[in-house]
Coordinates of all heavy atoms in Angstrom, one line a residue:
L3 N 123.2 38.6 64.7 CA 123.2 37.2 64.2 C 122.2 36.3 64.8 O 122.2 36.3 66.0 CB 124.6 36.6 64.1 CG 125.7 37.2 63.2 CD1 127.0 36.6 63.5 CD2 125.3 37.0 61.7
D4 N 121.6 35.5 64.1 CA 120.7 34.5 64.5 C 121.6 33.3 65.3 O 122.6 33.1 64.7 CB 120.0 33.8 63.4 CG 119.2 32.6 63.7 OD1 119.8 31.6 63.9 OD2 118.0 32.7 63.8
D5 N 121.2 32.9 66.4 CA 122.0 31.9 67.2 C 122.2 30.7 66.4 O 123.4 30.1 66.4 CB 121.3 31.6 68.5 CG 121.5 32.7 69.5 OD1 122.2 33.7 69.4 OD2 120.8 32.7 70.5
E6 N 121.3 30.2 65.8 CA 121.4 28.9 65.0 C 122.3 29.1 63.9 O 123.2 28.3 63.6 CB 120.0 28.4 64.5 CG 120.1 27.1 63.8 CD 118.7 26.7 63.3 OE1 117.7 27.0 64.0 OE2 118.7 25.8 62.4
T10 N 126.0 27.2 63.5 CA 126.3 26.3 62.3 C 127.6 26.7 61.8 O 128.6 25.9 61.4 CB 125.2 26.5 61.3 OG1 124.0 26.0 61.7 CG2 125.6 25.7 60.0
L12 N 130.1 28.4 63.2 CA 131.3 28.2 64.2 C 131.6 26.7 64.2 O 132.8 26.4 64.2 CB 130.8 28.6 65.6 CG 130.8 30.2 65.8 CD1 130.2 30.4 67.3 CD2 132.3 30.7 65.7
T19 N 139.8 22.3 62.8 CA 140.8 22.9 63.7 C 141.0 21.8 64.8 O 142.1 21.6 65.3 CB 140.4 24.2 64.4 OG1 139.3 24.1 65.0 CG2 140.4 25.2 63.2
V20 N 140.0 21.0 65.2 CA 140.0 20.0 66.2 C 140.9 18.9 65.7 O 141.7 18.3 66.5 CB 138.8 19.6 66.6 CG1 138.7 18.3 67.6 CG2 137.9 20.7 67.2
L22 N 143.5 19.1 63.6 CA 144.8 19.4 63.7 C 145.3 19.5 65.2 O 146.4 19.2 65.5 CB 145.1 20.9 63.0 CG 146.4 21.5 63.2 CD1 147.5 20.6 62.6 CD2 146.4 22.9 62.4
N32 N 148.4 10.0 74.8 CA 147.4 10.4 75.8 C 146.2 9.5 75.5 O 145.9 9.1 74.5 CB 147.1 11.9 75.7 CG 146.8 12.5 77.1 OD1 146.4 11.9 78.0 ND2 147.1 13.7 77.3
Y33 N 145.3 9.4 76.5 CA 144.0 8.8 76.3 C 142.9 9.7 76.2 O 143.0 11.0 76.4 CB 143.8 7.8 77.5 CG 143.7 8.4 78.8 CD1 142.4 8.8 79.4 CD2 144.8 8.7 79.5 CE1 142.3 9.3 80.7 CE2 144.8 9.4 80.8 CZ 143.5 9.5 81.4 OH 143.4 10.2 82.6
F46 N 139.7 24.4 72.7 CA 139.1 23.6 71.7 C 138.0 22.7 72.3 O 138.1 21.5 72.2 CB 140.2 22.8 70.9 CG 141.1 23.5 70.2 CD1 142.2 23.9 70.6 CD2 140.9 23.7 68.8 CE1 143.2 24.7 70.0 CE2 141.7 24.5 68.0 CZ 143.0 25.0 68.6
A50 N 132.4 14.7 73.9 CA 132.9 13.4 73.9 C 132.3 12.7 72.7 O 133.0 11.8 72.1 CB 132.7 12.7 75.2
L53 N 134.5 13.6 69.9 CA 135.9 13.3 70.0 C 136.2 11.8 69.7 O 137.1 11.4 68.9 CB 136.5 13.7 71.3 CG 138.0 13.5 71.4 CD1 138.9 14.2 70.5 CD2 138.4 13.6 72.9
T72 N 147.1 -1.6 80.2 CA 146.3 -2.5 81.2 C 147.0 -2.5 82.5 O 146.6 -3.3 83.4 CB 146.0 -3.8 80.7 OG1 147.3 -4.4 80.4 CG2 145.2 -3.8 79.4
S84 N 150.8 9.2 64.5 CA 151.7 8.4 63.8 C 152.7 9.3 63.0 O 152.5 10.4 62.8 CB 151.1 7.6 62.8 OG 150.4 8.3 61.7
D85 N 153.7 8.8 62.3 CA 154.6 9.4 61.3 C 153.8 10.1 60.2 O 154.1 11.2 59.9 CB 155.6 8.6 60.8 CG 156.6 8.1 61.9 OD1 156.8 8.7 63.0 OD2 157.4 7.1 61.5
R96 N 151.4 24.7 58.4 CA 152.0 25.6 57.5 C 150.8 26.3 56.7 O 150.8 27.5 56.5 CB 152.9 24.9 56.5 CG 154.3 24.7 57.1 CD 155.3 24.2 56.0 NE 154.9 23.1 55.2 CZ 155.1 21.8 55.6 NH1 155.7 21.7 56.7 NH2 154.8 20.8 54.8
R106 N 144.8 38.3 58.3 CA 145.3 39.5 58.9 C 145.3 40.6 57.8 O 145.0 41.7 58.1 CB 146.6 39.2 59.6 CG 146.5 38.5 60.9 CD 147.9 38.2 61.5 NE 147.8 37.3 62.6 CZ 147.3 37.7 63.9 NH1 147.0 38.9 64.1 NH2 147.3 36.8 64.8
T107 N 145.8 40.2 56.6 CA 145.8 41.0 55.5 C 144.4 41.6 55.1 O 144.2 42.8 55.1 CB 146.4 40.5 54.3 OG1 147.8 40.1 54.6 CG2 146.5 41.5 53.2

Side-chain angles (χ1 to χ4, degrees):
L3 288 176
D4 172 285
D5 287 344
E6 185 177 336
T10 297
L12 284 175
T19 62
V20 172
L22 178 56
N32 217 332
Y33 60 97
F46 291 91
L53 181 64
T72 56
S84 67
D85 291 342
R96 281 191 303 276
R106 289 179 188 278
T107 300

